[in-house]
Amino acid sequence: MEQRRYLKWYHKIGYGSGDVAGNVVYALLTSFVMFYLTDSIGLSMGVVGTLMAISKIFDGVTDVFFGRMIDKTKTKMGKARPWMLWAYLGNSVMLAACFAVPTSWGETAQYVYFFITYTLLNAVFFTANNIAYASLTALITKNTNERVQLGSIRFIFAFGASMGIQYATTHAVTLFGGGAEGWRTVAIIYAVIGLVVNTISCLSVKELDEEEEEAVADDKMSFLQSVKLLLANKYYVIICVTYVMTQIYASMVGMGIYYMKYILGDENLFGTFSLAINIPLVIGLLVVPFIIKKMGGMYHLNMIGYILATVSRGGVILFGYLGSVPMMLVCTALAALGTSPLQGDLNALIASCSEYTTMKTGKRIDGMLFSCSSLGIKIGGALGTAICGWLLDAAGYVENAVTQNATTVSMLNVVYLWIPMVLCGVVTFLLSMLRVERANKQLLKESVCDAVLEADPCAQ
């Protein structure tokens, strides 16, 4: 029987556009904040990386907290949309602030300033906004195919925004005068764009009324009970770790600006490599919903995709050492194509994970379950950037040096070539255990059998 449809095409486009706003924050931070702080402000890469890692302690608490707050919220706008709408005001202010470190202050004051603004941005405003946005996948439709479509559409917008930001940012900074002033101006422009797009996205969809009665029952659970329910779902744990791994991968690849500058000799090549990543991703995301529908599920497509990604990143390593930029671009593109199925259906997988908890326990904790998206993005993104900072600092990286020492060059190869391939292999292993669709079908089958036996005890 065909599932009921809940969304028109303009609802899907409107919802998906919200990831432009999310990536205004995410892409700018993961790709450029370290570069800005080291090469424009002159701060230590190792210290900045440590501050980012410490900041994640606060993030680990606030993700689940805001997820629970969303589950308990009741307004005319629904549960998630108020958080998505108003939290982005703080996002805009703090994003601009992160790229406006006062150049006249002492070094210690600059570190404190960055830590406060970075933590407020990630642990408070981005958390509330991103969890709410991700939760809407489960709150505006119950149709599995529509959820996959939403995931693909939002990530097309995400990678389109990421591609534009990665390609244009360094040129835009130069256009606005370069240095700290140029970065500040560009960050303000991005913050305004993000605020406008987020508002449009939030107002373009409506949460389902059917969720209201189920949400009432959830209010009876304490916060600790909700956390226990969350951790009892093994698929949540797998998805959360997978999210972290994919975001560390994205951060490592995003730090490629150092590889381009000091090994390939042209930092503007970063934009070319970004195109080689994002164009195949967008192409893959366009066809993912149709392939999943034909294959009858997400599991096998995700596995095939990440096997391709792992092998292709091996090709990047080979041609990196051979010095063939064209072949590096080809292998980079194939790896990106391989990661596209998971990028497109990850939110649908989380929704399936939420349904697993509901069928297993009779409780709904959508907001808390979707906290894994925000948790993974922030912890993975920050850890990836921090690890790069620690490794390069330990190798003796010197900002704006004409040439780096041999140890730093070797470390850049490790960070940009080797670690991404290893991470693809880890994600492939995690995906092999992510059989939540099969588990849901089994639970549904069992519930139908129980209903039949209850209606007709003789059927046993």
Side-chain angles (χ1 to χ4, degrees):
M1 184 175 67
E2 188 173 351
Q3 298 182 56
R4 173 188 167 186
R5 297 181 182 179
Y6 295 84
L7 305 173
K8 303 291 186 181
W9 67 268
Y10 48 85
H11 295 133
K12 299 172 187 176
I13 298 297
Y15 172 79
S17 67
D19 238 330
V20 172
N23 272 272
V24 161
V25 177
Y26 177 74
L28 198 59
L29 288 181
T30 55
S31 295
F32 297 110
V33 73
M34 181 72 82
F35 190 70
Y36 157 74
L37 292 169
T38 57
D39 287 37
S40 291
I41 304 298
L43 300 182
S44 165
M45 187 178 287
V47 174
V48 171
T50 300
L51 292 176
M52 288 179 173
I54 293 173
S55 178
K56 295 305 105 185
I57 296 173
F58 299 97
D59 274 355
V61 175
T62 59
D63 278 288
V64 179
F65 170 77
F66 279 115
R68 180 59 179 158
M69 291 299 294
I70 290 169
D71 284 331
K72 292 172 68 70
T73 297
K74 300 176 188 176
T75 70
K76 291 182 178 179
M77 287 184 68
K79 297 194 296 184
R81 289 202 303 154
W83 292 93
M84 177 183 171
L85 181 64
W86 300 114
Y88 207 92
L89 290 171
N91 265 357
S92 296
V93 173
M94 289 300 110
L95 179 64
C98 278
F99 285 86
V101 177
T103 55
S104 60
W105 289 11
E107 192 173 81
T108 300
Q110 288 176 330
Y111 284 125
V112 172
Y113 173 92
F114 169 71
F115 178 76
I116 292 173
T117 55
Y118 181 82
T119 301
L120 285 173
L121 173 59
N122 281 281
V124 180
F125 299 112
F126 186 76
T127 294
N129 171 265
N130 191 259
I131 294 176
Y133 177 59
S135 299
L136 285 175
T137 302
L139 297 175
I140 62 178
T141 178
K142 296 180 181 180
N143 185 302
T144 302
N145 289 329
E146 286 185 337
R147 288 173 176 173
V148 173
Q149 290 169 7
L150 289 176
S152 291
I153 292 170
R154 66 170 286 194
F155 280 110
I156 288 171
F157 276 104
F159 288 112
S162 179
M163 179 170 58
I165 289 169
Q166 291 172 348
Y167 183 77
T169 296
T170 55
H171 300 288
V173 170
T174 302
L175 180 66
F176 286 106
E181 183 179 349
W183 282 104
R184 182 175 63 249
T185 303
V186 170
I188 291 172
I189 292 171
Y190 284 155
V192 173
I193 292 172
L195 181 61
V196 172
V197 175
N198 181 80
T199 302
I200 293 171
S201 175
C202 182
L203 299 179
S204 67
V205 294
K206 182 180 179 182
E207 296 178 32
L208 298 176
D209 294 334
E210 289 92 332
E211 299 294 328
E212 293 177 1
E213 294 181 1
E214 294 173 312
V216 173
D218 293 342
D219 289 340
K220 298 176 182 178
M221 287 191 295
S222 68
F223 178 74
L224 287 178
Q225 286 174 324
S226 298
V227 171
K228 288 180 180 178
L229 199 62
L230 185 73
L231 297 178
N233 188 330
K234 64 180 179 180
Y235 299 111
Y236 166 83
V237 177
I238 294 172
I239 289 176
C240 199
V241 177
T242 299
Y243 237 123
V244 172
M245 293 297 105
T246 58
Q247 297 307 313
I248 293 177
Y249 170 88
S251 296
M252 292 290 176
V253 174
M255 292 291 285
I257 190 169
Y258 291 98
Y259 184 89
M260 310 304 161
K261 182 175 181 178
Y262 295 109
I263 292 183
L264 298 184
D266 182 5
E267 63 189 80
N268 288 322
L269 275 174
F270 182 69
T272 305
F273 273 83
S274 296
L275 291 175
I277 293 171
N278 289 296
I279 291 175
L281 274 171
V282 171
I283 293 172
L285 291 169
L286 286 171
V287 301
V288 161
F290 304 102
I291 298 176
I292 288 176
K293 191 172 183 179
K294 282 186 173 294
M295 296 183 72
M298 298 174 270
Y299 176 81
H300 290 101
L301 183 58
N302 288 336
M303 284 293 297
I304 292 169
Y306 258 87
I307 290 171
L308 172 63
T310 305
V311 173
S312 298
R313 286 307 305 187
V316 176
I317 295 174
L318 173 63
F319 293 111
Y321 282 108
L322 290 176
S324 175
V325 172
M327 289 307 299
M328 286 181 71
L329 287 167
V330 170
C331 291
T332 297
L334 288 173
L337 187 64
T339 64
S340 62
L342 183 64
Q343 297 289 353
D345 64 35
L346 194 47
N347 260 29
L349 281 171
I350 301 172
S352 295
C353 185
S354 178
E355 289 171 356
Y356 177 82
T357 291
T358 301
M359 287 192 286
K360 195 89 171 172
T361 68
K363 303 290 185 181
R364 292 202 71 91
I365 50 170
D366 295 306
M368 295 189 74
L369 280 160
F370 274 92
S371 69
C372 67
S373 62
S374 175
L375 185 67
I377 287 172
K378 292 183 304 177
I379 290 182
L383 276 179
T385 306
I387 290 169
C388 287
W390 293 330
L391 292 176
L392 293 178
D393 190 59
Y397 171 82
V398 179
E399 62 270 12
N400 292 315
V402 176
T403 58
Q404 298 290 341
N405 62 58
T407 305
T408 300
V409 170
S410 296
M411 191 59 73
L412 284 170
N413 283 318
V414 169
V415 167
Y416 187 72
L417 299 180
W418 287 96
I419 294 180
M421 186 195 71
V422 172
L423 289 170
C424 282
V426 172
V427 172
T428 304
F429 171 73
L430 291 168
L431 291 175
S432 70
M433 299 184 289
L434 192 54
R435 292 181 170 270
V436 64
E437 295 169 283
R438 186 175 69 175
N440 284 351
K441 288 178 181 178
Q442 182 61 33
L443 287 173
L444 183 61
K445 182 179 178 181
E446 291 172 2
S447 66
V448 170
C449 290
D450 290 342
V452 171
L453 288 174
E454 185 177 346
D456 183 9
C458 296
Q460 188 172 7

